[in-house]
Amino acid sequence: MSAASARGRRAVSLRQQVLGTVLAINAVAALVAGAVVVLNARAAARNEMGASVEMAELMVREAAERIAAEGSGDSPLPTHLRHLRHVRLTVRDAAGVPLSLGDAPAGAHHEADDDARAPAWFARLADVPALVRTIDVTRAGRPLFQVEVAGVPDDEIAEVWGDVTDFAMVAVAVNGAILLALFLALGRVRADLGRFRVTLDALEHQRAVEPLAPPRIRELAELAHGVNALAAALSAARAENVRLNARLVRLQEDERRQIAGELHDELGPLMFGLKAGAESIARLAGQMTQPAPLPEPLAGRLRERAEGLVAIVARMQVANRRLLRRIRPAALDHVPLADALASLVQDLNQHDAGRAVALELGRLAGHYGPALDATLYRCVQEGVTNALRHGDAHRVEVALAEGEGRLRLVITDDGRGPPAVVREGLGLAGMRERVRALGGTCRLEPGAAGGARLWLDLPVPADDLRDEAS
Ligand SMILES: Nc1ncnc2c1ncn2[C@@H]1O[C@H](COP(=O)(O)OP(=O)(O)OP(=O)(O)O)[C@@H](O)[C@H]1O
Ligand SMILES: [Mg+2]
């Protein structure tokens, strides 16, 4: 899981991805809308300004005709012309000097409203080419004055700007609400997915899992249902596996017990008889007098051979007892596991005065079923023997405890540590097979402070499986 989770940490989260996508779409939409608004503003300003300039030109020409026919008043133009929208009128006399119109210029009432004006950058974007018309006013062929009608798009641009800002505020508010809602909804999805991850992680590491509560989102609820079904199937398969393996180890133990029994019951008396026979031959060789005492060299050789036989049988008896102890630790049948281990460690301590084996037992049940009891016993036996034999250790520490449904056995020593490449013999291979058969793991590694560290982790069988294994 570690590589996958490292990959997962590098990947973008669902929330970042969705919110980032929505923000990107919003940014593109805002750019497109801005471009459309600017183009529309330009078209509207051009149309409005064109129509206003046309209208103003028409009205100025009518006024000019009236002035030419009737003569002028105080002002060169009628006052209503001065208030036309989207145009600015400039009047110049025949010499080209601007004349005052006596009132505010056309369009001034809009320009005074500074708040409603578009900012300069928008006005520049939406600006349209200037539209100017010039009308000469004459009377009897004599030029009186000249009127310049210039289009002023500012009002239209300001109107568009007003619409844009209103629309932008609504769009920002709506998008903000959408993003907030997505943020919260995706947070809930993330929390649900987090629970999935914890459950899958527990399944992967063979820890007990609680069924997932169904999330409120339908698809996730279906997924949770699937994960729960998978967890149930997996734990049933694991339980079955443990049960079968425990049975396998139990059968092995039974077989060993049988062999041990036969070695003890059959071979033991035979060797005893052989030894007694050889001893009596040696004795008889010295006692034989009829028909004549055996010549001394012959009697001596006979005694020698018989004593040799006795010594061989004695060695066979020792080997047989050692074999019996290895095949079937008798202690396990009669005393709790902790006591059997204590007596094993005591035995191991007697091998060599210069070396010490310490045993530290945590909370332990009396028995975990014959399969697991025998496995722990043999692993301690093999682990300590290896530390003394291969590591040449002076101190070996054996720690065994039960916790959170697991049994942990750690054997550390102060020896020379395992070689870079460990060539497994029967010891480690047998240990691994037994431990794996019971659903556990084992590892031999260099110790933190030198030496070697043998590490075993085994699931504690449920009570029914313990019975099954017994
Ligand atoms: N505590 C230890 N310190 C150093 N080396 C170790 C230790 N335990 C195991 N080893 C290394 O692991 C190898 C394999 O051990 P294993 O018990 O499988 O086989 P073995 O002890 O050589 O033979 P067998 O156990 O079959 O009599 C050993 O030869 C040794 O090199
Ligand atoms: Mg070994």
Side-chain angles (χ1 to χ4, degrees):
M1 181 99 181
S2 57
S5 61
R7 262 202 310 280
R9 272 197 295 282
R10 275 203 302 277
V12 183
S13 80
L14 178 67
R15 197 188 241 173
Q16 285 171 339
Q17 200 149 14
V18 173
L19 294 184
T21 308
V22 172
L23 278 173
I25 291 174
N26 273 342
V28 172
L31 276 177
V32 172
V36 170
V37 161
V38 167
L39 290 176
N40 282 350
R42 278 187 191 166
R46 200 180 306 115
N47 291 344
E48 286 284 324
M49 203 173 69
S52 298
V53 168
E54 293 279 317
M55 168 76 77
E57 187 183 0
L58 215 67
M59 291 167 85
V60 169
R61 285 196 191 284
E62 272 176 22
E65 279 168 20
R66 264 201 310 282
I67 289 167
E70 299 161 9
S72 70
D74 290 345
S75 170
L77 286 175
T79 46
H80 69 273
L81 288 183
R82 297 170 202 159
H83 299 289
L84 288 172
R85 268 170 66 83
H86 304 320
V87 289
R88 182 184 296 117
L89 299 185
T90 312
V91 181
R92 291 192 181 82
D93 65 11
V97 178
L99 297 175
S100 166
L101 287 174
D103 202 345
H109 58 292
H110 293 289
E111 285 168 18
D113 189 359
D114 264 358
D115 283 350
R117 293 192 62 169
W121 63 267
F122 184 77
R124 262 200 307 279
L125 275 177
D127 207 5
V128 290
L131 186 58
V132 181
R133 300 279 163 81
T134 310
I135 300 134
D136 290 318
V137 181
T138 55
R139 187 187 296 147
R142 195 168 54 86
L144 279 181
F145 51 88
Q146 197 181 48
V147 182
E148 188 185 273
V149 179
V152 180
D154 297 9
D155 290 353
E156 192 55 33
I157 292 174
E159 259 173 46
V160 174
W161 175 249
D163 291 347
V164 166
T165 49
D166 290 349
F167 175 76
M169 274 192 301
V170 173
V172 166
V174 169
N175 274 308
I178 290 173
L179 286 174
L180 182 66
L182 274 176
F183 183 82
L184 295 176
L186 291 174
R188 271 207 306 276
V189 171
R190 197 174 66 160
D192 286 336
L193 291 178
R195 288 190 299 119
F196 281 29
R197 195 169 50 77
V198 170
T199 301
L200 291 175
D201 203 40
L203 281 181
E204 183 187 352
H205 293 101
Q206 303 186 19
R207 289 194 302 267
V209 290
E210 287 290 315
L212 283 165
R216 285 217 305 249
I217 297 164
R218 199 180 64 227
E219 288 80 356
L220 289 185
E222 286 167 5
L223 201 57
H225 180 71
V227 171
N228 285 342
L230 177 72
L234 209 60
S235 81
R238 270 195 196 128
E240 183 57 19
N241 214 7
V242 169
R243 187 175 288 129
L244 288 176
N245 285 325
R247 192 173 286 170
L248 198 73
V249 177
R250 179 171 62 84
L251 289 177
Q252 277 178 359
E253 284 301 313
D254 281 352
E255 209 176 348
R256 282 166 178 261
R257 203 195 316 237
Q258 239 172 14
I259 294 173
E262 302 214 341
L263 280 178
H264 182 269
D265 299 346
E266 300 281 333
L267 265 190
L270 287 180
M271 281 189 292
F272 181 75
L274 201 61
K275 192 175 165 201
E279 280 168 349
S280 92
I281 291 174
R283 247 190 343 269
L284 287 176
Q287 293 169 358
M288 228 166 110
T289 50
Q290 292 296 325
L294 278 177
E296 189 38 44
L298 191 60
R301 282 222 304 278
L302 209 56
R303 256 198 320 275
E304 221 172 74
R305 298 275 157 82
E307 279 161 7
L309 273 179
V310 170
I312 290 172
V313 173
R315 284 214 303 278
M316 279 173 73
Q317 281 175 320
V318 170
N320 191 38
R321 271 199 296 277
R322 202 168 52 226
L323 201 61
L324 280 176
R325 260 207 313 278
R326 284 191 60 176
I327 292 178
R328 180 67 204 161
L332 275 179
D333 289 336
H334 311 294
V335 295
L337 172 67
D339 295 352
L341 289 178
S343 98
L344 170 66
V345 167
Q346 204 179 1
D347 275 1
L348 290 166
N349 258 321
Q350 281 164 3
H351 280 327
D352 191 333
R355 304 171 187 222
V357 184
L359 178 67
E360 190 191 314
L361 297 175
R363 188 171 66 86
L364 283 180
H367 288 283
Y368 293 94
L372 193 45
D373 285 356
T375 298
L376 289 168
Y377 187 95
R378 293 192 187 291
C379 289
V380 171
Q381 194 175 34
E382 178 62 26
V384 174
T385 310
N386 274 354
L388 299 173
R389 208 170 117 203
H390 302 300
D392 202 15
H394 286 92
R395 184 170 174 79
V396 186
E397 283 171 17
V398 181
L400 173 66
E402 179 190 337
E404 296 168 357
R406 317 284 302 178
L407 271 163
R408 291 198 176 84
L409 170 66
V410 184
I411 301 176
T412 41
D413 66 61
D414 64 351
R416 62 173 74 97
V421 180
V422 174
R423 281 221 189 83
E424 269 191 12
L426 289 180
L428 286 182
M431 201 184 295
R432 191 186 311 284
E433 267 167 33
R434 279 172 162 273
V435 168
R436 195 178 290 164
L438 295 172
T441 47
C442 82
R443 209 167 58 224
L444 173 71
E445 57 194 16
R453 182 172 182 269
L454 179 69
W455 183 93
L456 267 89
D457 179 82
L458 285 147
V460 174
D463 284 344
D464 56 333
L465 294 180
R466 217 177 282 187
D467 293 344
E468 171 74 24
S470 57

